[in-house]
Amino acid sequence: MKAKKCGFVTGCVMAVGALACSAGTTERPAAEAQAPGVVDMSPPPPMTEAPEGTGKLAATFKEHFGVGVAVEPRHLTSVGPILSGDFNRLTAENAMKFAQLHPSEGSYAFERADEIAEFARQHSMAMTGHALVWYRETPAWLVAANDPSATTAALDEHIRTVVERYADVTDNWDVVNEAISDSGGKTYRDGDEGSKLYPLYGGQQYIKVAFESAAAAVSATGKSIALYYNDYNVVDDAKRAKIIEMVRWLKAEGVQIDGVGLQAHWNIEWPNDALLQKTIDELVAEGVKLKISELDLSVYTKDDYGTETWEPQKEFTADLAQRQAQRYQQLFALFAKNAEHITSVTFWGVSDDQTWLDDFPAAGRNNYPLLFDDQHQPKPAYFSILQAL
Ligand code: XIL
């Protein structure tokens, strides 16, 4: 077994806590918010040149959709040439989440998000804003007054401030992330599933509040910035039905919602093309745009979220690398076929040495879900995607 891959020990993001999820699927709830965990203590060694043979990814899909990647500030130097060479979009993996940007009332911490935004500007890349409201990044201060109207005012102030600050570089925001329940019998994530806002408002009204503030904020900037709902397990029929119910509710209320983001924390066998195509078709029929917002393909296909049983550590063999490459290629062929409806495809990380899946759902189990390996060299998956068209 390989040593823990995180090269910068103090920079490791410790994601803990797996929640139950729809049986039979492998995409799961997000890890715990990492408030104290995401600290870059030592500067990573800078990469000066992109690896040989790379620099073709975004260019290959230029006529189809943007190709993005989620980053922390450290990646801007440790894999900078890969970012600017292979991608035309960035998402802040953590730096633009509510509690990261706005840890206490009246006090913003923009530095990490600003660094990423500046890199994007310098390299003419677009950004996805992620995320204005997410239950795991709702700071306690936001609900402390126990008064929905105070929270609405604070939410509105936050959303206007943040949307305006990055308006020149973002073309869409995840307005609300993961607000739908994983349990049968209820549509929305409530207090039992970790939402602080649902119990405060006595329902899902906060979703409407957030989308309305976001629409007003965008309109004040005069820019065209699309407003998305983003979630995992969108391919699950029951979960998707609830997402569609929410989209219809917002539209019936006259609230602007432009798109739905499929996180796409999938594995090398799941979901299959038929399920994915059905998912795309059903959402397109609702009149929303789609994006693949957090793509990574785990090599663990037998994890059971119902019983919280995780497959033991695997070695990343040549066979596994080939299977992953083939699945990535099939997915990109399918995305390209649906390009009319898909605005962007974003990977949730650059290289296998730094992936949140090393700690989620099983702490300390190495995963190999991305396009570049631990040494930041392109994997078979990288080259196979280039052949998808
Ligand atoms: C994850 C990050 O990758 C981790 O670094 C952090 O500890 C927890 O959040 N769904 C989302 C993302 O919308 O924001 C999550 O990102 C992964 C699941």
Side-chain angles (χ1 to χ4, degrees):
M1 179 173 133
K2 201 155 46 141
K4 182 78 190 81
K5 290 183 294 179
C6 181
F8 316 103
V9 177
T10 47
C12 280
V13 173
M14 298 308 290
V16 290
L19 302 178
C21 190
S22 329
T25 61
T26 51
E27 193 170 3
R28 76 280 93 176
E32 290 292 339
Q34 74 308 325
V38 187
V39 182
D40 296 327
M41 297 295 283
S42 53
M47 175 183 266
T48 49
E49 248 176 82
E52 214 183 306
T54 65
K56 305 190 177 88
L57 197 53
T60 300
F61 297 94
K62 198 164 79 254
E63 306 302 327
H64 295 82
F65 38 70
V67 182
V69 63
V71 292
E72 297 277 19
R74 63 174 172 268
H75 296 118
L76 307 176
T77 42
S78 69
V79 287
I82 294 180
L83 304 181
S84 53
D86 270 304
F87 300 95
N88 51 18
R89 315 184 48 83
L90 293 178
T91 301
E93 183 174 352
N94 290 292
M96 288 190 182
K97 292 170 180 173
F98 197 123
Q100 309 292 315
L101 276 181
H102 203 166
S104 50
E105 191 163 11
S107 132
Y108 283 91
F110 287 123
E111 198 187 337
R112 290 165 47 80
D114 282 358
E115 274 181 55
I116 296 171
E118 196 45 37
F119 185 97
R121 290 186 190 103
Q122 276 168 14
H123 295 91
S124 304
M125 302 165 93
M127 283 195 77
T128 286
H130 175 78
L132 296 172
V133 171
W134 183 30
Y135 76 104
R136 290 191 182 273
E137 289 277 342
T138 305
W141 70 259
L142 186 64
V143 296
N146 201 24
D147 168 5
S149 61
T151 296
T152 295
L155 254 183
D156 188 62
E157 192 276 333
H158 175 90
I159 290 174
R160 285 173 187 266
T161 302
V162 172
V163 166
E164 204 222 314
R165 187 174 186 92
Y166 302 110
D168 63 315
V169 71
T170 45
D171 62 9
N172 78 101
W173 266 97
D174 292 326
V175 179
V176 177
N177 195 32
E178 303 183 352
I180 295 296
S181 175
D182 289 311
S183 308
K186 58 181 176 184
T187 300
Y188 296 97
R189 180 185 298 281
D190 59 15
D192 292 341
E193 285 180 287
S195 174
K196 296 189 185 88
L197 296 174
Y198 186 98
L200 175 71
Y201 285 79
Q204 78 275 17
Q205 205 65 13
Y206 76 92
I207 299 172
K208 184 178 165 194
V209 165
F211 271 95
E212 283 175 343
S213 282
V218 167
S219 156
T221 68
K223 306 266 182 199
S224 156
I225 301 173
L227 305 180
Y228 275 78
Y229 175 75
N230 193 53
D231 213 333
Y232 57 87
N233 262 352
V234 183
V235 296
D236 178 78
D237 288 343
K239 184 133 182 206
R240 187 170 61 259
K242 298 180 198 179
I243 293 172
I244 288 173
E245 181 188 330
M246 182 198 67
V247 168
R248 289 183 182 170
W249 166 65
L250 287 170
K251 289 190 168 190
E253 295 277 312
V255 178
Q256 180 190 340
I257 171 167
D258 301 306
V260 171
L262 286 66
Q263 288 186 5
H265 296 296
W266 296 333
N267 72 49
I268 57 172
E269 289 175 4
W270 174 89
N272 65 28
D273 282 5
L275 183 53
L276 194 49
Q277 189 60 54
K278 176 179 165 202
T279 298
I280 293 171
D281 293 344
E282 283 186 18
L283 288 166
V284 165
E286 298 301 314
V288 286
K289 299 186 231 187
L290 302 180
K291 63 175 177 178
I292 306 299
S293 55
E294 306 184 11
L295 179 61
D296 46 21
L297 289 191
S298 169
V299 300
Y300 298 100
T301 55
K302 312 238 175 327
D303 285 347
D304 185 334
Y305 286 81
T307 59
E308 299 195 4
T309 311
W310 318 122
E311 247 189 297
Q313 163 95 23
K314 278 184 182 171
E315 199 188 321
F316 193 60
T317 58
D319 171 59
L320 217 41
Q322 280 313 323
R323 283 166 58 199
Q324 181 181 55
Q326 188 187 23
R327 188 60 196 139
Y328 262 122
Q329 184 178 88
Q330 292 164 346
L331 285 172
F332 270 75
L334 190 145
F335 298 155
K337 202 175 90 190
N338 291 278
E340 186 193 340
H341 306 294
I342 297 177
T343 54
S344 61
V345 177
T346 289
F347 290 86
W348 207 243
V350 181
S351 53
D352 288 343
D353 57 323
Q354 290 186 344
T355 159
W356 77 301
L357 295 179
D358 277 350
D359 288 301
F360 185 86
R365 181 185 66 177
N366 283 342
N367 209 331
Y368 313 87
L370 299 167
L371 299 189
F372 292 83
D373 67 16
D374 290 358
Q375 282 72 46
H376 305 164
Q377 296 303 305
K379 292 162 62 181
Y382 175 90
F383 297 107
S384 73
I385 291 177
L386 301 182
Q387 305 302 319
L389 295 180

